[in-house]
Amino acid sequence: MTAGQQRALEELWPRYGIEYTPATLDLDHAFGRRAPRLIEIGFGSGEALFAYAQAHPEIDCLGIEVHRPGAGHLLMQVQHAGMTNVRVSCHDAVEVLTQQLTPASIDAVHILFPDPWHKKRHHKRRLIQTEFVDLLARVIKSGGVLRLATDWQDYAEHMRAVLDTHAQFINAAEAGYAARPDDRPITRFERRGQRLGHGVWDMEYQRR
């Protein structure tokens, strides 16, 4: 963690941070208004979340990321840009989804380039599993959107296998995979994948 990231966490957390407690989170109070809500799970250094929130000031964006240096980096960007529609949680996403968020309270969820755990013996550690998608289905409103992206083809196929058969989600892309959304910037993870010769697979699902 850089000195700037550490300072951002110390100085800006009271304004932008969401502490974990095993109790329902009042999002209207946390953001100071009532607005459509988006969550990005595992935002890394916050490139995509920052760009999305800046392009959509009418949407409140909650980022969940356990890697604190990345959270510090995002907080520096948000503060420098004078943005008010971003909040950050540095806690395990499963507990946030289970304990803090109420059913049908979120309009969209983004999960971009999660750890692929590419070795076969580690596939059980992948985030996108039926049990986790059940948690997403609980908090996403009917008609809400789940967007995913990965630069590992076998993980993309795994995501499709989980979500295409899930009773609460409909694949919104006629071709199976979606085009890269205009409001998703090319992140450093995507650039790294491109250097390695990886493709990128975007997916979009709608909550029934």
Side-chain angles (χ1 to χ4, degrees), residues 25 27 31 35-41 59-62 64 96-97 100-110 135-146 207:
L25 174 64
L27 290 172
F31 284 95
R37 303 268 155 73
L38 172 136
I39 293 176
E40 184 174 336
I41 296 173
I59 297 176
D60 289 337
C61 300
L62 172 61
I64 303 174
V96 173
L97 292 171
Q100 289 194 284
L101 298 179
T102 57
S105 59
I106 303 300
D107 296 271
V109 173
H110 291 180
L135 298 180
L136 297 178
R138 173 184 171 273
V139 301
I140 298 175
K141 296 177 180 179
S142 176
V145 173
L146 171 61
R207 174 73 163 84

Side-chain angles (χ1 to χ4, degrees), residues 62-167:
L62 172 61
I64 303 174
E65 174 58 68
V66 295
H67 186 60
R68 293 180 67 81
H73 182 265
L74 175 60
L75 292 181
M76 287 192 295
Q77 289 184 299
V78 168
Q79 193 272 338
H80 181 73
M83 296 161 61
T84 60
N85 63 326
V86 174
R87 298 293 183 271
V88 174
S89 171
C90 290
H91 196 76
D92 178 71
V94 169
E95 292 193 335
V96 173
L97 292 171
T98 304
Q99 302 292 334
Q100 289 194 284
L101 298 179
T102 57
S105 59
I106 303 300
D107 296 271
V109 173
H110 291 180
I111 304 175
L112 308 176
F113 303 97
D115 193 328
W117 294 104
H118 57 277
K119 293 182 179 179
K120 189 171 182 178
R121 67 177 181 272
H122 293 157
H123 284 186
K124 62 184 178 182
R125 299 184 183 182
R126 288 175 165 176
L127 183 64
I128 304 303
Q129 309 285 356
T130 299
E131 295 78 8
F132 187 74
V133 175
D134 289 342
L135 298 180
L136 297 178
R138 173 184 171 273
V139 301
I140 298 175
K141 296 177 180 179
S142 176
V145 173
L146 171 61
R147 287 184 181 174
L148 309 102
T150 181
D151 61 336
W152 288 82
Q153 183 175 0
D154 71 313
Y155 197 8
E157 292 169 353
H158 171 85
M159 291 175 175
R160 287 279 311 277
V162 171
L163 282 154
D164 285 354
T165 58
H166 197 282

